[in-house]
Every structure is written in C-alpha cells, then in structure tokens.
Amino acid sequence: METLAGIECFIRSAEAGSFSEAARRLGLTSAAVGKNVARLEAGLGVRLFQRTTRSLRLTEAGMRFLAEVSSSFATIQSAV
C-alpha cells in the first residue's frame, strides 16, 4: 500500500506542479508528499521530478511513468 500512496502523491504532484498543492489536495503535509515521492523514486531507481527551489518539473522518465500509471491508478481508485 505504501507504493500506491507514493504513486498517488506522484500523480497529484505532477497535476498540481508542486508538492504543497498536492499536499493540500490530499490532506497531507508537503513534507509527507515529498517523502512518498522520494521513496517511490528510490524504489524505481529513477528521478521522476526535476526539483529546484522555485519549480517542480517532470523528468523524461517521470513523463513516461505518469503516462503508464495514470489510467491504471484511476481504475484502482474506482474499484476500491
């Protein structure tokens, strides 16, 4: 279930363009969202976001991963 939380944080962060906005939408802290995404990245062995102090952008790997997981995650959410 930890991986699903990481995927949800990743998807919401990609949609919102920031960890803080994703956190507001998910009812979490931005630190929790960042940690979930970092654990997901560590598990996958790839960086999904290019982070700076002012922006959060998907890497090429992040764009591919988002395309792969978005519809599947929506299906899982509706099933649950």
Side-chain angles (χ1 to χ4, degrees):
M1 292 305 275
E2 185 176 294
T3 302
L4 285 178
I7 291 171
E8 183 172 24
C9 287
F10 165 71
I11 291 170
R12 300 300 167 238
S13 297
E15 291 171 347
S18 77
F19 287 155
S20 57
E21 180 57 29
R24 278 191 283 279
R25 294 177 185 182
L26 292 167
L28 301 171
T29 65
S30 58
V33 171
K35 286 179 184 178
N36 281 331
V37 171
R39 278 193 288 262
L40 178 63
E41 289 175 325
L44 295 172
V46 67
R47 291 289 261 182
L48 300 172
F49 288 107
Q50 184 69 27
R51 300 163 177 85
T52 67
T53 55
R54 295 181 184 248
S55 70
L56 182 71
R57 292 180 296 133
L58 287 169
T59 62
E60 187 176 320
M63 287 184 256
R64 284 194 311 269
F65 188 69
L66 182 62
E68 291 289 326
V69 299
S70 291
S71 63
S72 299
F73 189 77
T75 302
I76 291 168
Q77 277 189 308
S78 60
V80 172

